[in-house]
Amino acid sequence: MPTSFTVVPVEAQGEERQRDGQQREEEDEGDERDRGTGDGIARESSPFINCAELGRGSMYEGRNMALFEEEMDSNPMVSSLLNKLANYTNLTQGVVEHEADEDSKRKEVKGPRMGTFIGVYLPCLQNILGVILFLRLTWIVGTAGVLESFIIVFMCCACTMLTAISMSAIATNGVVPAGGSYYMISRSLGPEFGGAVGLCFYLGTTFAGAMYILGTIEILLTYISPSAAIFKVADAGEETEAMLNNMRVYGTCIVILMAIVVFVGVKYVNKLALVFLACVILSIIAIYAGVIKTAFDSPDFPICLLGNRTLSKRSFDVCAKFTESNNETKTTPLWLLFCDSSLLNATCDDYFSLNNVTEIQGIPGIMSGVLTDNLWSAYSEKGSIVEKKDQPSVAGPEESKMGGLPYVFTDIMTYFTMLVGIYFPSVTGIMAGSNRSGDLKDAQKSIPTGTILAISTTSFIYLSCIVLFGACIEGVILRDKFGEAVNGNLVVGTLAWPSPWVIVIGSFFSTCGAGLQSLTGAPRLLQAIARDGIVPFIQIFGHGKANGEPTWALLLTVGICEIGILIASLDSVAPILSMFFLMCYMFVNLACAVQTLLRTPNWRPRFKYYHWTLSFVGMSLCLALMFICSWYYALIAMLIAGCIYKYIEYRGAEKEWGDGIRGLSLNAARYALLRVEDGPPHTKNWRPQLLVLLNLDNEQLVKHPRLLSFTSQLKAGKGLTIVGSVLQGIYLDKCTETHKAEENVKALMGVEKTKGFCQIVVSPNFRDGISYLIQSAGLGGMKHNTVLMAWPQSWKQAENRFSWKNFVDTVRETTSAQQALLVAKNIDLFPTNQERFTEGNIDVWWIVHDGGMLMLLPFLLRQHKVWRKCKMRIFTVAQMDDNSIQMKKDLQMFLYHLRLNAQVEVVEMFENDISAFTYEKTLMMEQRSQMLKQMQLSKNEREREAQLIHDKNTAPRSAPAVEASVAVAVPEKVQMTWTKEKFVAEKHKNKDSNVSGFKDIFNMKPNQSNVRRMHTAVKLNGVVLNKSQHAQLVLLNMPGPPKNRKGDENYMEFLEVLTEGLDRVLLVRGSGREVITIYS
């Protein structure tokens, strides 16, 4: 049957919301009443569905769907679902501060319009190409050589390409909201990994901003306006220190200025992004145009060499020792730099005197063959002079001081791994597309295509530039980081056409733009992490201005960025952010590999060109690059991430995002369970796997919390612990109470630090529920082998007359199931986890062999800090025919082989006479038992007596002799008519029989078997009290229940007598198998 519905266009939603708002107040009360109808299931919360609106709409949509009307609250109509999905928009983080007011406050958002080129390709291009390309790539080529530089760039580009493939698979597996890489990692690997890597990525983005700002200042003070430096060079050799101080001052000013721009209006930063990108593209075009021009006409950039040493031309202009003018030889300014006077006979530097000054072209051109000279590396120490290898030179004596001479020096020591760390930031920025997924027409198509194309383009640019720089520029110029040999020009600018200023101005604006973008993106990333609520101490950074701008996050970002600026060296900051980016990329690859290998049903990415092996190779490459760049930075970054991970695991909010780590844990658990043998473990591996039976009160609260304290002391987090309890009733009626009880038990387990599982069973009676737990708790090989329960203190009370039956049946069932049983008596006197026993004993009374349980339990308890300082004592009982001296020696030898330290004592019990006290106690026990049996009327007798009392009270007082005809249904279906005479006669008859029954009780004699058992209990209790009354804990063999069920209540009395007068007692009943061995 067709369903009537109306399709509401997206543009009309605002009007619809206004009309809904007017009707909302009238309908709210009805909604509250309607929520209680149906099957009582609470509404699901969905990321796509506004349940409140669907609840109102279902009243109209369900007219023709009456069969499903009771499920409308939780299961909306398909038309509503599709409408919500079609109109779902993904706003960037920070647009709406209060999501609760989303419907009423959000303005109409225009549909996303950006395609692959504008939305993904160009932003990635802008973020990848930047400061390293213009300021450091030529120096890397000159230092590492063309071949090794090619390897460096290829490794880094391969790393980002493999990461982009993994990222594309994750980004196309559903919608990626704000947060970009953080969202992908956290939803794939869980909140712990997501928070740790997200914060590391935030730190990397923040330090990237510092690096771009330092690059901006370097371009400004070195190539645009050197005279703007605040700190001047007073003495030779202080250039580096002065430059660093200038960096710190100017960097602080610029970061404050940029923060104000970001705070005032992010929209201006976004509008200027295309301008900055245009500067980068024009600069790259100028480089390629300059390379083509060198094939026909090389630019004139001569460099001056003294012997094979490169000279800095900042302090002289003529590359000669002296000049001829009007037949007169005059010395040049260069002469004065090496000699003590301008005279030709002046004392000069030895190396200056022995070598000639030559001038060569700095950019010989692509056809010059200089590529062969630049193929190999030229690493050097800090402070070394940049030298041309094949230039003739006469070595002079060792100079003691060369600081004041105009040579070009290296400012840092160079080696392969250091160059990798400096270069890697130039290939970051591949996440720019995924961060804008909400603004794309088709994000699942644009993100893979745009990102991979951008990486391919930039990889081609970097690799080609390496070859072209090596083929066009002289090696000494390439190794001249700051262009001192070419009059302080930017080295890559000397190659550009039409002018070096194209590169200088373009790189200046591109680094400014990149710094602004970092200061814009990093606070939003921190805000996304803070709003997820997984890291408690950063939640304040989730707040911002009224429009959602992250003000507090911006302040923190500026503060961290200032740390990078105070470092002041671009070469020192670059490896730091390399670590953080590499860690982020490593976990993106790990997330893709884990999801692919787990084959989770939700893993259905539209991007199909991925494989787990590619992700694994990418992950391995990222890890290798981290340690190649700087092993100590890598360890520090991992330590930071590890600390954040453990903090989130310990204090963070519980989030269930269906992540891959949870799925991996399930797979690992399944694999382990299948590997674990279903049979009993070897004796060496045996430990008590506990099923703890708890009693709950009417409020579903635990009656004896100390039982869980004792569990944690006994287990110390090792092995299996199942905490179970039984609710009496039917599950359909007790569903709410079951959930409440489970929450209460889990909360108490957390307080008592009991690591394990909770299982609540609902059963028509308590007895069967305990049986269900003993039979079915656990899974596969992970099943309990020991039951721990509290002694039923109130078993003698009339209202708990069945508690002792349940207890005795539980003892019998654990014996049948071949499980050990631990019964803690006076459990409320047991210590909490915060208490500490500074002295005292744990006394073990070993009466019968139970497989070694009594030996093992004290050892396990003494591992916990509560019992650690207690000493272990073992007592055993010698009979008339036993040699007590030999027994003690044998027991000491046995404990020695078991590697247990304990005092041994043999107690002799030779007296066999049964005391009058024992006889009397047994008689009282049997009389009480018999009296209880006679006092318990059958069900039919109770019903008949109640009916008689009712008839007597309702009979008419005016006619006492009138027959009261009352039909009483008896099991034999016999109809009886009662008269007053019969009633009185029956009453006297019952009275006489009861009196005679009580006379028999007082005249009875006790059973001899019970007398013997009581004698044992009394004698043994006396011995235990004598030796162990002040012990902190007494462990005692628990005798088994009688085979004849008629004596169950006597069994409880025996146990009561056995443990009378002791504060803390643990009754132990072994499972019938050996649990401790002397063998290794």
Side-chain angles (χ1 to χ4, degrees):
M1 183 181 293
T3 304
S4 301
F5 63 93
T6 304
V7 179
V8 182
V10 176
E11 291 78 6
Q13 282 184 345
E15 300 173 5
E16 289 293 325
R17 286 174 181 161
Q18 291 178 1
R19 288 197 294 272
D20 284 348
Q22 295 170 2
Q23 298 173 0
R24 200 165 289 178
E25 294 181 1
E26 301 173 3
E27 295 172 355
D28 277 346
E29 295 180 3
D31 284 343
E32 292 297 329
R33 291 190 299 269
D34 290 342
R35 287 191 186 104
T37 61
D39 55 4
I41 301 174
R43 290 178 181 170
E44 288 185 17
S45 62
S46 168
F48 302 111
I49 303 166
N50 187 320
C51 299
E53 290 187 5
L54 289 177
R56 288 188 293 276
S58 64
M59 290 188 298
Y60 304 100
E61 293 171 344
R63 285 180 179 176
N64 297 329
M65 292 291 173
L67 186 61
F68 301 96
E69 64 184 5
E70 291 189 354
E71 300 180 12
M72 288 298 178
D73 282 346
S74 57
N75 300 326
M77 293 291 292
V78 174
S79 57
S80 300
L81 173 65
L82 295 177
N83 186 38
K84 287 291 175 183
L85 288 170
N87 296 329
Y88 176 71
T89 58
N90 177 20
L91 297 178
T92 55
Q93 184 72 28
V95 174
V96 179
E97 175 65 17
H98 304 288
E99 295 181 1
D101 299 333
E102 185 177 350
D103 288 334
S104 59
K105 293 185 178 179
R106 180 181 291 174
K107 296 180 180 179
E108 190 68 30
V109 181
K110 294 183 180 180
R113 290 289 180 267
M114 287 193 291
T116 303
F117 186 74
I118 298 294
V120 180
Y121 181 75
L122 291 182
C124 286
L125 213 63
Q126 179 190 2
N127 278 269
I128 295 173
L129 299 172
V131 61
I132 301 295
L133 170 65
F134 301 118
L135 295 183
R136 292 292 182 269
L137 191 59
T138 53
W139 174 69
I140 290 173
V141 173
T143 305
V146 172
L147 292 180
E148 290 186 25
S149 300
F150 198 90
I151 293 171
I152 292 173
V153 174
F154 182 80
M155 277 197 310
C156 296
C157 291
C159 174
T160 54
M161 179 62 79
L162 292 172
T163 304
I165 292 172
S166 300
M167 184 196 71
S168 300
I170 299 173
T172 57
N173 188 51
V175 179
V176 179
S181 59
Y182 158 70
Y183 184 91
M184 289 189 287
I185 294 171
S186 62
R187 268 56 176 182
S188 298
L189 294 179
E192 294 87 2
F193 278 109
V197 180
L199 286 176
C200 286
F201 189 55
Y202 162 74
L203 291 173
T205 308
T206 305
F207 275 104
M211 183 188 74
Y212 292 132
I213 292 171
L214 291 174
T216 302
I217 302 164
E218 184 175 313
I219 293 169
L220 175 67
L221 296 181
T222 307
Y223 307 114
I224 296 178
S225 178
S227 60
I230 297 174
F231 296 90
K232 306 295 183 181
V233 180
D235 299 322
E238 295 182 357
E239 296 89 348
T240 303
E241 189 63 31
M243 186 64 180
L244 293 179
N245 289 329
N246 286 320
M247 289 272 197
R248 293 183 180 108
V249 174
Y250 274 96
T252 304
C253 296
I254 290 180
V255 76
I256 293 172
L257 184 65
M258 286 185 173
I260 293 171
V261 172
V262 172
F263 179 78
V264 170
V266 180
K267 58 183 179 180
Y268 302 113
V269 177
N270 293 330
K271 286 179 180 178
L272 290 172
L274 286 177
V275 177
F276 297 141
L277 177 62
C279 293
V280 174
I281 294 174
L282 285 175
S283 301
I284 292 172
I285 292 173
I287 293 171
Y288 281 109
V291 169
I292 295 171
K293 183 176 178 294
T294 60
F296 313 103
D297 182 19
S298 298
D300 184 26
F301 279 101
I303 56 174
C304 191
L305 300 176
L306 176 61
N308 64 349
R309 298 177 178 178
T310 311
L311 298 177
S312 172
K313 296 185 72 175
R314 289 181 184 271
S315 51
F316 67 92
D317 51 356
V318 178
C319 183
K321 293 183 179 182
F322 35 77
T323 57
E324 296 286 341
S325 177
N326 298 326
N327 294 325
E328 183 181 355
T329 303
K330 294 182 179 180
T331 57
T332 62
L334 179 61
W335 179 278
L336 289 174
L337 294 174
F338 286 91
C339 303
D340 56 2
S341 72
S342 60
L343 301 176
L344 293 175
N345 59 354
T347 304
C348 296
D349 178 77
D350 292 337
Y351 188 86
F352 182 78
S353 303
L354 294 173
N355 291 275
N356 295 324
V357 176
T358 55
E359 192 173 56
I360 62 173
Q361 271 300 328
I363 303 178
I366 196 170
M367 307 300 290
S368 63
V370 74
L371 178 63
T372 54
D373 297 333
N374 294 330
L375 280 178
W376 312 109
S377 62
Y379 299 119
S380 58
E381 297 289 330
K382 180 180 179 180
S384 302
I385 301 173
V386 177
E387 298 177 345
K388 184 173 172 59
K389 297 175 185 176
D390 56 352
Q391 190 75 7
S393 170
V394 179
E398 290 294 328
E399 291 90 356
S400 59
K401 183 179 178 182
M402 294 189 298
L405 302 178
Y407 295 125
V408 177
F409 296 97
T410 56
D411 61 334
I412 56 174
M413 184 175 69
T414 53
Y415 45 92
F416 178 82
T417 57
M418 185 267 289
L419 295 180
V420 175
I422 292 176
Y423 173 75
F424 187 81
S426 66
V427 296
T428 60
I430 62 174
M431 301 288 185
S434 65
N435 291 343
R436 300 183 179 209
S437 60
D439 302 324
L440 303 173
K441 287 181 182 178
D442 186 358
Q444 298 191 356
K445 177 183 177 184
S446 298
I447 288 175
T449 308
T451 305
I452 292 174
L453 278 178
I455 292 175
S456 302
T457 304
T458 53
S459 299
F460 172 77
I461 291 172
Y462 282 127
L463 292 171
S464 61
C465 281
I466 285 172
V467 176
L468 295 176
F469 290 162
C472 295
I473 305 175
E474 185 62 51
V476 290
I477 298 294
L478 290 173
R479 293 191 291 280
D480 182 5
K481 184 187 288 186
F482 302 108
E484 295 178 23
V486 284
N487 299 318
N489 281 303
L490 184 62
V491 174
V492 69
T494 60
L495 183 63
W497 180 87
S499 169
W501 285 101
V502 176
I503 300 292
V504 172
I505 301 300
S507 60
F508 178 78
F509 281 112
S510 72
T511 50
C512 280
L516 279 171
Q517 292 284 355
S518 296
L519 288 180
T520 304
R524 278 159 178 73
L525 177 60
L526 181 63
Q527 188 182 46
I529 301 171
R531 285 186 170 180
D532 262 346
I534 58 173
V535 187
F537 70 86
I538 67 165
Q539 287 187 0
I540 187 176
F541 300 110
H543 306 296
K545 293 194 293 186
N547 62 348
E549 291 297 327
T551 309
W552 293 107
L554 177 61
L555 290 175
L556 180 66
T557 302
V558 170
I560 297 174
C561 192
E562 179 65 20
I563 295 173
I565 287 169
L566 292 177
I567 295 174
S569 171
L570 188 148
D571 300 324
S572 301
V573 173
I576 296 175
L577 63 102
S578 295
M579 291 302 114
F580 293 125
F581 279 120
L582 279 167
M583 184 173 291
C584 178
Y585 296 165
M586 179 177 72
F587 279 99
V588 169
N589 285 298
L590 175 63
C592 182
V594 167
Q595 296 278 32
T596 307
L597 290 173
L598 287 179
R599 299 177 182 175
T600 51
N602 191 53
W603 180 246
R604 303 184 299 274
R606 290 189 178 277
F607 181 76
K608 301 298 181 184
Y609 305 102
Y610 70 94
H611 196 267
W612 69 267
T613 53
L614 293 177
S615 301
F616 184 78
V617 171
M619 181 182 70
S620 305
L621 189 56
C622 288
L623 186 63
L625 283 173
M626 285 179 69
F627 283 92
I628 286 173
C629 293
S630 173
W631 64 268
Y632 48 90
Y633 276 164
L635 291 178
I636 292 172
M638 287 182 171
L639 180 64
I640 293 172
C643 291
I644 298 170
Y645 177 94
K646 295 305 292 183
Y647 176 81
I648 296 172
E649 187 180 56
Y650 178 65
R651 290 288 304 275
E654 287 292 331
K655 299 284 184 181
E656 179 51 63
W657 288 328
D659 50 83
I661 292 297
R662 304 295 166 92
L664 191 64
S665 301
L666 286 174
N667 269 18
R670 170 185 164 274
Y671 176 78
L673 281 172
L674 292 175
R675 290 292 302 271
V676 172
E677 297 179 4
D678 203 6
H682 192 274
T683 304
K684 289 186 288 186
N685 296 327
W686 195 96
R687 66 166 57 244
Q689 316 287 8
L690 291 181
L691 169 63
V692 185
L693 298 179
L694 294 180
N695 288 328
L696 305 178
D697 59 16
N698 294 331
E699 299 296 326
Q700 310 337 313
L701 297 174
V702 179
K703 286 185 179 179
H704 303 294
R706 298 286 179 94
L707 199 60
L708 286 180
S709 303
F710 183 69
T711 302
S712 62
Q713 294 160 21
L714 183 62
K715 298 290 290 180
K718 305 294 191 298
L720 174 71
T721 302
I722 302 172
V723 180
S725 187
V726 177
L727 296 182
Q728 203 161 343
I730 299 174
Y731 183 70
L732 290 177
D733 300 332
K734 293 282 186 179
C735 188
T736 306
E737 289 89 338
T738 304
H739 292 310
K740 183 180 177 182
E742 191 168 349
E743 289 176 3
N744 292 339
V745 172
K746 284 183 177 178
L748 185 61
M749 290 172 67
V751 171
E752 299 294 345
K753 298 180 180 179
T754 305
K755 297 180 180 179
F757 308 99
C758 175
Q759 188 167 353
I760 306 296
V761 171
V762 180
S763 173
N765 61 72
F766 191 82
R767 169 71 200 85
D768 290 344
I770 295 291
S771 179
Y772 299 157
L773 281 173
I774 291 174
Q775 293 178 64
S776 61
L779 180 65
M782 289 294 288
K783 294 182 74 70
H784 63 278
N785 54 28
T786 306
V787 176
L788 173 62
M789 61 189 300
W791 172 263
Q793 297 285 0
S794 57
W795 69 273
K796 290 184 179 181
Q797 298 177 10
E799 61 269 18
N800 291 322
R801 56 182 176 273
F802 294 112
S803 64
W804 59 268
K805 276 187 168 296
N806 294 334
F807 177 81
V808 177
D809 286 341
T810 303
V811 176
R812 286 196 174 99
E813 287 207 350
T814 54
T815 304
S816 300
Q818 295 184 333
Q819 295 173 5
L821 177 65
L822 307 178
V823 180
K825 192 177 180 190
N826 301 326
I827 185 62
D828 294 328
L829 298 178
F830 276 59
T832 63
N833 289 328
Q834 286 71 40
E835 295 181 43
R836 302 287 183 272
F837 288 135
T838 56
E839 58 182 0
N841 300 312
I842 299 177
D843 287 355
V844 177
W845 284 85
W846 193 20
I847 312 299
V848 294
H849 182 56
D850 59 350
M853 275 283 286
L854 283 169
M855 309 290 182
L856 185 62
L857 292 176
F859 170 77
L860 295 176
L861 279 175
R862 291 179 70 241
Q863 306 301 308
H864 196 274
K865 49 195 172 184
V866 173
W867 306 92
R868 189 165 294 155
K869 294 186 178 180
C870 293
K871 296 179 181 178
M872 181 176 167
R873 298 193 301 181
I874 296 182
F875 298 90
T876 189
V877 177
Q879 298 296 317
M880 182 69 73
D881 299 331
D882 296 329
N883 185 343
S884 57
I885 298 175
Q886 187 62 40
M887 279 181 66
K888 184 173 183 178
K889 289 182 179 179
D890 292 342
L891 183 53
Q892 287 173 336
M893 183 58 67
F894 181 57
L895 292 176
Y896 175 78
H897 286 306
L898 288 177
R899 289 91 64 202
L900 295 175
N901 295 320
Q903 298 178 16
V904 175
E905 190 168 340
V906 178
V907 179
E908 298 177 345
M909 289 179 60
F910 295 152
E911 187 180 350
N912 289 324
D913 295 337
I914 298 175
S915 64
F917 172 75
T918 302
Y919 192 87
E920 182 181 350
K921 201 166 184 66
T922 309
L923 181 60
M924 289 174 60
M925 176 188 72
E926 293 190 357
Q927 286 175 347
R928 178 180 176 276
S929 177
Q930 193 67 25
M931 192 180 299
L932 286 174
K933 287 180 181 178
Q934 292 195 6
M935 287 177 64
Q936 290 173 359
L937 301 174
S938 67
K939 182 180 179 182
N940 295 331
E941 290 172 334
R942 288 200 306 270
E943 288 180 355
R944 184 162 59 177
E945 185 169 327
Q947 186 66 44
L948 289 172
I949 294 170
H950 173 74
D951 293 343
K952 179 181 178 182
N953 292 334
T954 57
R957 296 186 180 182
S958 59
V962 178
E963 289 184 0
S965 301
V966 181
V968 181
V970 294
E972 292 80 6
K973 303 294 183 183
V974 178
Q975 189 74 16
M976 298 179 66
T977 303
W978 288 82
T979 64
K980 186 177 180 181
E981 291 76 10
K982 287 184 178 180
F983 171 74
V984 173
E986 185 70 22
K987 183 177 179 182
H988 284 293
K989 180 182 175 183
N990 290 336
K991 186 176 180 181
D992 293 339
S993 64
N994 287 337
V995 171
S996 63
F998 282 117
K999 287 180 180 178
D1000 292 339
I1001 289 174
F1002 291 115
N1003 294 328
M1004 68 184 293
K1005 292 183 178 181
N1007 183 286
Q1008 289 302 311
S1009 175
N1010 288 338
V1011 172
R1012 291 197 308 272
R1013 288 187 173 91
M1014 183 63 75
H1015 175 67
T1016 304
V1018 170
K1019 291 296 295 180
L1020 194 53
N1021 175 255
V1023 173
V1024 173
L1025 278 177
N1026 184 38
K1027 297 288 186 180
S1028 304
Q1029 188 169 11
H1030 301 293
Q1032 303 292 7
L1033 180 64
V1034 176
L1035 282 80
L1036 195 61
N1037 278 118
M1038 181 179 179
K1043 294 181 180 178
N1044 183 5
R1045 290 176 178 264
K1046 292 181 180 179
D1048 285 356
E1049 64 273 22
N1050 299 336
Y1051 173 69
M1052 297 295 292
E1053 192 72 46
F1054 295 146
L1055 295 181
E1056 192 75 64
V1057 171
L1058 181 63
T1059 57
E1060 192 174 3
L1062 297 171
D1063 289 338
R1064 303 182 194 91
V1065 183
L1066 187 66
L1067 294 171
V1068 180
R1069 183 159 176 78
S1071 61
R1073 59 159 295 168
E1074 293 293 331
V1075 299
I1076 194 167
T1077 178
I1078 63 174
Y1079 299 105
S1080 60

